[in-house]
Amino acid sequence: MSVSKVIYKSFKVIGKLPQIQNFRCCSSLSLKQRNELFTAEQKRQRENVGRIEKIEVRYLGLPEDVTLVMNRDLSTPYNCAQHLSEGHCKRSVLSLVDGNVPWDMHRPLQASCTLQLLHFTISDPHVVNKTFWRSCSFMLGAALQNAFKEDAHLQLHSFPGPNIKTGSFIHDIVLGSRDWQPTKSELRALSAEMIKLAAKDLKFERLEVNQELALEMFKDCRYKKEQLPSISQQNRGRIVLYRMGTHIDISKGPMISFSRFVGKCTVAAIHKLADEDEHDALYRVQGIALPPAFAINHVAYGILEDRAKKLNPARLPNEPFEESHVQIA
């Protein structure tokens, strides 16, 4: 059986997916409701800031160190970059607070601090690279939701913490077919969805919520509902969510600032991990990507693609959620 019918109408229909009753994580209605709840909570938190307090942000970097007076719980590292130059805004992927805390570019600063703006060509890019890998996994979830029709019964399961040494970023999914063997055309279609998302230059928004709201947002997502209590318990009742466009998911973060920082990208392989029940199966979707500033020839990129096809050894979806989902500051 092929599930070509669920990715783009232009593909040839081969067979038919089983008609099953199950949770679906990507119906247009649930997606709309999830975004409405995210936006409302985001607005509520901004309005609850109350009296605006000033903080001093000591920027460390080129062209020179400078102290900026910003608004506590409102101003973000990106706002600081806007005070510096257009170039800082265009190339800053992530920030570093007080020399050791990775901080999202669009996350409000909570106190006076030092601030460094990070990009892909810094001398020690380890933190930036991990953030890039994690963001690619997040984007892959959005691409999968966009590509599959609802009757495929796609459910996004999770994406383990990034490990660059494995050679691929991943997203684990459950699909209403136990024998899908994706074609090259289907993999190219998913790659195209990733590239479309990158071209839209979408902002990554971070929002911390309580468990009750998170459960309401993901009430129709079986696996998210199962994961949330454990994540909440490990993080004092709080859940960190991210939104890019209309796609919302759970992640400890941090993420890159904009989707435009994903350049060349390939969804390289999809491996079946296990049967979930008589209809569904777990699949691991794997990809490789580079930032736009990194130009390599097609032979070298082909080597990266081949490596990304090998089954990524990250923890399996049915294993306990531990450090990979511990929410960080």
Side-chain angles (χ1 to χ4, degrees):
M1 182 191 300
S2 168
V3 294
S4 296
K5 65 169 289 188
V6 299
I7 308 181
Y8 297 138
K9 296 179 181 179
S10 60
F11 286 171
K12 184 178 180 181
V13 176
I14 305 176
K16 185 178 181 181
L17 285 170
Q19 297 299 312
I20 58 176
Q21 296 297 320
N22 211 330
F23 291 92
R24 291 182 293 177
C25 199
C26 57
S27 71
S28 56
L29 179 60
S30 63
L31 196 63
K32 181 174 182 288
Q33 292 173 338
R34 196 173 303 136
N35 274 272
E36 288 174 348
L37 289 170
F38 188 101
T39 300
E41 176 63 13
Q42 192 178 58
K43 180 181 179 182
R44 186 194 69 80
Q45 291 186 16
R46 287 172 179 167
E47 291 176 346
N48 281 354
V49 170
R51 184 174 65 89
I52 297 176
E53 298 181 16
K54 297 298 181 181
I55 57 174
E56 290 189 354
V57 179
R58 182 65 176 172
Y59 166 72
L60 306 176
L62 297 174
E64 62 181 358
D65 297 351
V66 63
T67 298
L68 303 170
V69 178
M70 308 300 288
N71 297 324
R72 179 180 179 180
D73 293 327
L74 291 173
S75 298
T76 66
Y78 188 78
N79 296 141
C80 294
Q82 289 176 315
H83 284 283
L84 297 171
S85 75
E86 184 178 355
H88 286 84
C89 295
K90 285 184 176 180
R91 71 173 187 164
S92 297
V93 180
L94 183 69
S95 71
L96 200 64
V97 168
D98 289 335
N100 61 1
V101 182
W103 201 270
D104 296 274
M105 287 295 294
H106 302 292
R107 180 183 177 185
L109 296 164
Q110 299 171 344
S112 295
C113 60
T114 63
L115 180 71
Q116 296 165 264
L117 300 178
L118 308 182
H119 49 84
F120 290 111
T121 57
I122 58 176
S123 58
D124 182 8
H126 178 71
V127 173
V128 175
N129 289 342
K130 286 190 68 174
T131 299
F132 177 75
W133 225 232
R134 180 185 299 110
S135 304
C136 287
S137 288
F138 183 93
M139 284 180 64
L140 181 54
L144 289 161
Q145 281 194 333
N146 291 342
F148 281 88
K149 295 180 182 178
E150 288 184 24
D151 59 359
H153 295 274
L154 168 73
Q155 301 172 72
L156 300 182
H157 191 290
S158 57
F159 50 100
N163 184 350
I164 300 166
K165 294 180 180 179
T166 62
S168 61
F169 59 84
I170 62 178
H171 206 118
D172 294 332
I173 65 171
V174 175
L175 198 62
S177 173
R178 294 174 59 178
D179 55 1
W180 181 34
Q181 296 180 349
T183 65
K184 290 183 179 179
S185 295
E186 289 170 335
L187 293 176
R188 283 196 296 267
L190 291 172
S191 301
E193 281 294 335
M194 288 285 288
I195 294 169
K196 286 180 184 178
L197 290 170
K200 289 181 179 179
D201 194 17
L202 300 170
K203 180 168 69 172
F204 281 78
E205 304 172 82
R206 181 187 187 277
L207 186 67
E208 188 172 324
V209 303
N210 59 35
Q211 180 180 329
E212 182 181 3
L213 179 57
L215 286 169
E216 175 65 20
M217 293 175 74
F218 293 100
K219 63 183 179 182
D220 59 348
C221 299
R222 170 187 167 186
Y223 297 100
K224 304 298 180 185
K225 286 177 65 177
E226 292 175 355
Q227 295 158 16
L228 283 169
S230 174
I231 298 171
S232 175
Q233 185 178 17
Q234 294 177 42
N235 295 279
R236 302 179 299 279
R238 307 298 290 175
I239 309 290
V240 176
L241 306 177
Y242 280 86
R243 178 168 68 177
M244 182 201 66
T246 59
H247 178 61
I248 300 171
D249 206 345
I250 309 162
S251 176
K252 66 177 183 178
M255 299 282 182
I256 58 176
S257 51
F258 293 98
S259 64
R260 68 168 182 263
F261 287 113
V262 175
K264 194 172 183 65
C265 179
T266 302
V267 176
I270 300 177
H271 297 280
K272 180 180 175 179
L273 299 178
D275 291 328
E276 182 70 0
D277 54 35
E278 62 178 312
H279 298 300
D280 300 348
L282 284 162
Y283 294 89
R284 174 156 289 175
V285 187
Q286 302 182 185
I288 180 71
L290 295 174
F294 286 72
I296 63 174
N297 62 53
H298 70 280
V299 175
Y301 189 72
I303 293 173
L304 294 178
E305 287 181 312
D306 288 340
R307 186 184 177 198
K309 293 176 183 178
K310 298 177 181 179
L311 177 61
N312 191 300
R315 65 159 179 80
L316 297 176
N318 56 0
E319 292 177 351
F321 286 86
E322 295 178 356
E323 63 175 307
S324 62
H325 267 77
V326 173
Q327 312 283 354
I328 62 172

